[in-house]
Amino acid sequence: MYEFDFVKPTTLADAIAALGAEEAQALGGGQTLIPTLKQRLAAPAVLVSLTGIGEMQGIELGEGQITIGGATPHAAVAAEVAAAYPALAALAGNIGDPAVRNRGTIGGSLANNDPSACYPAAALASGATIVTSNREIAADDYFEGMFTTALEDGELITAVRFPVPEAASYQKFEQPASRFALVGVFVAKYPEGVRVAVTGAAEDGVFRWSEAEVALSADFSPAALEGIDCPAEGMIADLHGTAAYRAHLVKVMTRRAVMAAAG
Amino acid sequence: MTQVSMTVNGQPATGEVEGRTLLVSFLRDQIGLTGTHVGCDTSQCGACVVHVDGKAVKSCTMLALEADGAEVSTIEGQANADGTLNVIQQAFQDHHGLQCGFCTPGMVMSAAALLKENPKPTEDEIRHYLEGNICRCTGYHNIVKAIMAASGQDVAVLAAE
């Protein structure tokens, strides 16, 4: 790692002020950023830790919605939303491994927007609201492509608000070495309709599979997906799988998610 | 350089570190607790697992300054007060849960975290919990067996391979 200064503010206001410095970078749980720094792929002058800010921690279970503080680790989400939103808890409880889940945070994952990360699929399929230090962003407007989001410099995710669906499931086909999603599909059924978000598959990062959404909104069953195929165009192709293979997996994982959610 | 202070295995520990100093470097190089190992240095292998405020973390992927004021436990703090091995360590010895021993500190610390959360885990739960701990001797079977035994469960149900 290149050298950097480290500060650990205890309030959001102090964190925002610290991020105003030249070449400052926010540090969540560090489970992606620290490996990136070790490879010298980033060289911030100052790291601003978000782990000491009480107002960014914790989970609030409200009427029909769940609000998760931006600096809340995956392990807390897995433990605390299990009854209120089991599919979200299951997703959080399957990210990385237990030690990673004790450090990695929901805000860090969404700010990084790794094209193979799990949380973007949950946020997009749930129509979540990304609450930042200066505004609220609908998930549909938030994800702008691989490692790219609507966040501006110095803007922090303070919380994420999830409307609780009637039924949901996340199905991840793991890349066995990294345990990131080779393809992950989150299906969530709301009174207004079904939303299907796919991670791991596309070159532009997480996306909604709208054709499947229309079919599943009319008939929430695996049979509704017959005759629908996800196009291979724009899918990631690498040593782990071709674009056609990923496109095929999108349908398989969607079907599994519908079966799990409907069951 | 910045001063960092934490409690390690019940003892106060203080040192001067850089922003980029990793928790594992502080433990090994500054306070001399070399039981915590660095295997991969990329947060894959789990040889560096320690507990920070009771939670298992990979100390190669946490900055020392993030642990300022924290209670840290390492493998050196696991033995009983009289110096004998604790239940998990003894089970690793009894069930041959180690070969070269390099991964063992991380395995024992992960096992301790698991049993605190889930005192009677099933074999599947143990294997799932150990996803972030790699044993390159591939001694997983006996590691799982040792953790089953440490939780007071019958290990005869596991095949004797």
Side-chain angles (χ1 to χ4, degrees):
Chain A
M1 282 186 273
Y2 293 111
E3 227 176 310
F4 51 79
D5 290 330
F6 174 89
V7 293
K8 191 170 178 176
T10 55
T11 66
L12 186 58
D14 287 350
I16 291 162
L19 283 167
E22 196 76 10
E23 299 294 323
Q25 161 78 48
L27 172 69
Q31 302 304 286
T32 298
L33 183 54
I34 291 175
T36 306
L37 292 169
K38 285 182 181 182
Q39 292 177 61
R40 296 192 162 183
L41 295 172
V46 54
L47 277 193
V48 180
S49 167
L50 306 179
T51 58
I53 303 171
E55 59 203 294
M56 287 178 66
Q57 292 276 350
I59 296 164
E60 199 187 297
L61 303 175
E63 192 67 39
Q65 67 174 29
I66 294 171
T67 307
I68 301 174
T72 306
H74 311 324
V77 177
E80 293 174 37
V81 308
Y85 193 165
L88 182 63
L91 174 147
N94 241 330
I95 296 173
D97 59 60
V100 167
R101 293 194 286 274
N102 281 333
R103 294 291 303 163
T105 66
I106 186 169
S109 172
L110 292 176
N112 190 45
N113 193 19
D114 187 299
S116 299
C118 296
Y119 263 128
L124 191 58
S126 305
T129 302
I130 318 296
V131 183
T132 77
S133 42
N134 46 17
R135 59 186 165 145
E136 297 195 350
I137 310 171
D140 283 322
D141 302 324
Y142 175 81
F143 300 102
E144 295 187 342
M146 193 178 278
F147 297 111
T148 312
T149 70
L151 288 178
E152 285 162 10
D153 280 350
E155 187 174 12
L156 292 173
I157 297 176
T158 55
V160 186
R161 216 161 50 223
F162 289 88
V164 177
E166 295 170 350
S169 173
Y170 176 62
Q171 296 290 322
K172 170 161 74 161
F173 192 94
E174 283 180 3
Q175 199 273 79
S178 71
R179 301 195 195 288
F180 272 87
L182 191 66
V183 168
V185 178
F186 201 112
V187 172
K189 181 175 184 289
Y190 288 91
E192 314 81 71
V194 175
R195 292 171 67 104
V196 178
V198 181
T199 189
E203 284 174 340
D204 287 338
V206 69
F207 70 97
R208 285 173 68 187
W209 185 18
S210 36
E211 211 180 344
E213 290 184 351
V214 172
L216 291 168
S217 295
D219 170 20
F220 194 63
S221 77
L225 296 167
E226 276 169 30
I228 300 176
D229 287 306
C230 183
E233 195 177 70
M235 294 285 157
I236 298 169
D238 58 18
L239 79 168
H240 305 299
T242 61
Y245 180 65
R246 279 186 169 81
H248 174 72
L249 274 181
V250 169
K251 181 166 171 176
V252 172
M253 303 320 279
T254 304
R255 192 162 53 217
R256 288 185 191 171
V258 172
M259 284 166 68
Chain B
M1 301 287 262
T2 311
Q3 181 169 308
V4 66
S5 301
M6 61 189 86
T7 305
V8 181
N9 301 326
Q11 301 293 318
T14 301
E16 294 280 321
V17 297
E18 294 183 322
R20 62 183 169 178
T21 303
L22 297 166
L23 177 57
V24 71
S25 312
F26 176 74
L27 294 171
R28 289 178 56 87
D29 304 340
Q30 297 208 19
I31 60 174
L33 296 179
T34 54
T36 303
H37 289 167
V38 180
C40 66
D41 202 23
T42 57
S43 73
Q44 310 286 317
C45 83
C48 67
V49 170
V50 302
H51 298 181
V52 175
D53 291 331
K55 308 266 191 205
V57 303
K58 292 184 167 172
S59 61
C60 83
T61 308
M62 179 169 178
L63 300 174
L65 286 169
E66 285 276 30
D68 190 43
E71 300 265 345
V72 177
S73 336
T74 72
I75 189 68
E76 287 90 346
Q78 296 301 296
N80 298 318
D82 64 1
T84 57
L85 298 178
N86 78 4
V87 170
I88 297 170
Q89 292 170 310
Q90 189 60 53
F92 270 67
Q93 186 181 69
D94 293 345
H95 294 277
H96 197 53
L98 62 152
Q99 292 178 48
C100 86
F102 193 86
C103 73
T104 312
M107 289 288 182
V108 169
M109 296 310 289
S110 281
L114 167 64
L115 296 184
K116 200 166 69 172
E117 266 175 45
N118 182 356
K120 301 277 178 206
T122 63
E123 181 186 349
D124 279 354
E125 286 169 343
I126 295 171
R127 290 185 187 276
H128 179 59
Y129 201 89
L130 293 181
E131 278 181 352
N133 292 81
I134 295 174
C135 166
R136 280 302 66 150
C137 305
T138 69
Y140 297 106
H141 192 76
N142 286 350
I143 291 168
V144 172
K145 200 189 257 184
I147 297 171
M148 283 290 259
S151 68
Q153 300 185 88
D154 185 8
V155 296
V157 293
L158 298 174
E161 6 180 300

